[in-house]
Amino acid sequence: MLIALALLGMLAQALELTLPAVLMRNLAIAMIALAIFLAVLRGERLGGGNGLPLALALFALWISVRVVYEDGAQPVPLLLAMWLPFTFFAAYTSRAAGQRVAAIFCVFTAVAATLYLSTTLSIGLRGGLLINAIFYVILGLPFILAIQSRTMRMAGILVIVTAAAASNKRTAIVALSVALFMYLLTENRRSKPATTLRFRPGLAAGGLILAVITPYWVGLRVFGVDILAKFADAGQDGGSGRAEIYSWVWKRLGEASANRLFFGHGTNAVAQETGGFSAHNDFLEVAYDYGLVGFGLYLFVYACLIATLIKLVSSRNRYAGAWAASLGLFATLSSLSHLALIPTYVALLAVFWGYILRETADSTGSIDGSSVRHNGVRRHYASPPRRKSIHG
C-alpha cells in the first residue's frame, strides 16, 4: 500500500496534479526500509534459493557505491538508488495475503489509467513527464495478467490498451505488444506437454487485434492521433533522436579510458554530458554511467529473470505468462527508453517480481510449481494431466 501511494504521488506530479509527491515518495521509502528491517528481525527469508533478490541488491549496491563516491552519503540519492531492491523485498516479505497485494496494484493501474486518460482528454497530449506517465499504466499489465478471472483480465487489458493508444507513444505500443505476445506464447507453451509447442491461430489473431489494431482505432477515433503515421515517421526522426544519442554513447565508450570503461563515468553522466538527454537505452546508459561492473550486474538481473521464467514454465505455474509479460516489458522499455534507472517506473515490476516469488516459493525459497498461496496459506495442487494423443 505504501508503494502504491508513493507511485500515485509521483504519477500525480507527472500529470501536474496537486499532491506532495516527493514527500510521499521519501516517506514511503523510509517506511519500507523499516518494514524490511523488521522482517529480517522476524527471520524472514529474503528470496531464499532464487538468485533475483541477490542480483537486484548487488545492482543497487553498486549504484549506491558510485553515488557515495561522487556525492558523499546523502540520504535521498541513496534511498533512490535502493528503491529497486526495497520495493522488491517489501513485496516479498509482506504479511499481506498475495491476492490483496495484486488487488492493490490492479486498482492502482485502473486509477493511473483513469487519471492519464482524463488528463489527456482535458489538456491534450504534451511531451515530458506527462506523455511518459503512460509507463505507470502499462507497467501494471503483469498484475492484470495474474488475475484468475478471464473477464477481469480482458477488461484490464482493454483499459491499458486504450491508455496506450491515447498516449500516441511508440515505445508504449511496442512494449505492450511484445508483453502481450510473450504472455500468449508462454501460456500456449505452459498448457502443452513439454515435447510440443503448437501455434494457435485464434490466439495469435486475437493478440494481434488487441495489441495493434485496437490501439490504432481507439487512437484515431477517440483521441484523433494516428499511431501508424507516428511509426512511419520513425525513419525520418531517427526514433525521436535515439539513433543520434546511441551513436554518441557508443563513440564515447570506444574512447573511454580503462578506468572509465570498467567503473563508469558516474551517475547521470550521459544526461550531464548531453545537456539533459538520457541514452534512451538502459544497456548503454548503465554501461556508460556505471561501467562494465554495473553492466555485468545488470545482465545478472536479466539472467535471473529468464531462469525464473524457465522454472515457472517447466512447472506449469499459472503465473508463468504474467512473468513473461513482465520480462517483455522490462526488456523492451530498457532497450527503447529508460526504465531500470527510473526508480518510480521500475518499482512496479519489482513489486510484481517480489509478489510472484513469495506466492510460488516453497519452504526453501525455490519455485514450487505445485503450490500457490491463498490468503497467506499454501495449498498444493496436482500438476495438470497431460492430454493423450489421438494416435495412441
Side-chain angles (χ1 to χ4, degrees):
M1 179 64 78
L2 287 172
I3 299 171
L5 289 175
L7 293 178
L8 186 60
M10 299 310 295
L11 173 63
Q13 183 184 46
L15 297 177
E16 301 177 5
L17 303 176
T18 305
L19 276 178
V22 175
L23 177 61
M24 291 171 65
R25 181 197 64 195
N26 292 341
L27 285 176
I29 294 175
M31 293 180 71
I32 289 167
L34 177 61
I36 294 172
F37 176 72
L38 294 176
V40 172
L41 291 182
R42 292 197 306 266
E44 290 275 0
R45 298 177 63 89
L46 298 184
N50 192 284
L52 183 58
L54 177 63
L56 294 175
L58 289 176
F59 180 60
L61 181 61
W62 177 246
I63 294 177
S64 300
V65 169
R66 294 295 295 161
V67 168
V68 172
Y69 177 77
E70 295 155 21
D71 303 319
Q74 298 184 26
V76 172
L78 280 176
L79 286 173
L80 288 177
M82 297 303 294
W83 180 238
L84 174 59
F86 276 6
T87 49
F88 172 88
F89 288 123
Y92 188 84
T93 60
S94 174
R95 286 189 165 185
Q99 292 304 310
R100 224 181 310 158
V101 174
I104 288 171
F105 282 91
C106 285
V107 170
F108 169 84
T109 303
V111 171
T114 302
L115 289 174
Y116 188 84
L117 288 170
S118 61
T119 304
T120 301
L121 286 171
S122 61
I123 66 175
L125 289 167
R126 289 194 287 175
L129 291 175
L130 176 57
I131 194 170
N132 285 338
I134 186 59
F135 292 150
Y136 288 103
V137 181
I138 65 172
L139 287 169
L141 178 67
F143 289 100
I144 299 297
L145 297 178
I147 299 174
Q148 294 190 51
S149 169
R150 180 177 298 180
T151 302
M152 294 295 292
R153 278 202 310 271
M154 293 303 296
I157 293 171
L158 183 59
V159 169
I160 293 174
V161 166
T162 302
S167 73
N168 198 30
K169 191 170 179 63
R170 289 172 298 203
T171 303
I173 298 296
V174 173
L176 189 57
S177 301
V178 170
L180 288 173
F181 175 78
M182 290 187 66
Y183 170 75
L184 292 171
L185 184 65
T186 304
E187 285 299 288
N188 180 67
R189 182 71 177 86
R190 184 179 68 88
S191 63
K192 299 297 178 185
T195 56
T196 64
L197 177 57
R198 282 185 278 178
F199 184 68
R200 294 182 179 180
L203 278 178
L208 179 65
I209 291 172
L210 188 64
V212 179
I213 298 177
T214 301
Y216 176 72
W217 185 89
V218 172
L220 189 63
R221 293 300 184 92
V222 179
F223 300 97
V225 294
D226 191 339
I227 297 170
L228 294 185
K230 188 79 179 293
F231 276 99
D233 292 338
Q236 298 178 1
D237 64 15
S240 297
R242 282 172 172 78
E244 184 178 351
I245 191 69
Y246 293 169
S247 176
W248 182 89
V249 176
W250 270 115
K251 181 180 178 181
R252 294 283 302 197
L253 282 171
E255 298 171 347
S257 65
N259 180 63
R260 292 288 191 184
L261 188 63
F262 194 74
F263 295 108
H265 293 72
T267 302
N268 294 324
V270 173
Q272 292 172 8
E273 295 179 24
T274 59
F277 296 100
S278 80
H280 279 76
N281 181 296
D282 282 341
F283 296 93
L284 289 176
E285 189 124 22
V286 169
Y288 192 84
D289 288 3
Y290 302 107
L292 293 178
V293 175
F295 186 70
L297 294 173
Y298 184 55
L299 293 183
F300 182 30
V301 173
Y302 272 94
C304 293
L305 289 171
I306 294 171
T308 303
L309 175 61
I310 293 172
K311 290 179 181 179
L312 289 171
V313 173
S314 63
S315 63
R316 298 190 186 183
N317 192 283
R318 71 179 184 87
Y319 293 119
W323 188 277
S326 76
L327 179 57
L329 287 171
F330 189 52
T332 306
L333 291 176
S334 292
S335 300
L336 300 177
S337 189
H338 30 65
L339 177 61
L341 301 179
I342 307 294
T344 49
Y345 291 163
V346 77
L348 283 162
L349 292 181
V351 170
F352 175 77
W353 296 332
Y355 151 63
I356 294 300
L357 288 187
R358 184 172 181 85
E359 285 292 284
T360 59
D362 61 17
S363 59
T364 66
S366 301
I367 288 181
D368 178 9
S370 63
S371 64
V372 176
R373 293 178 187 269
H374 289 275
N375 297 323
V377 179
R378 181 168 299 284
R379 297 178 182 174
H380 291 266
Y381 299 90
S383 297
R386 298 188 177 187
R387 296 181 181 178
K388 295 182 179 180
S389 168
I390 58 174
H391 300 294

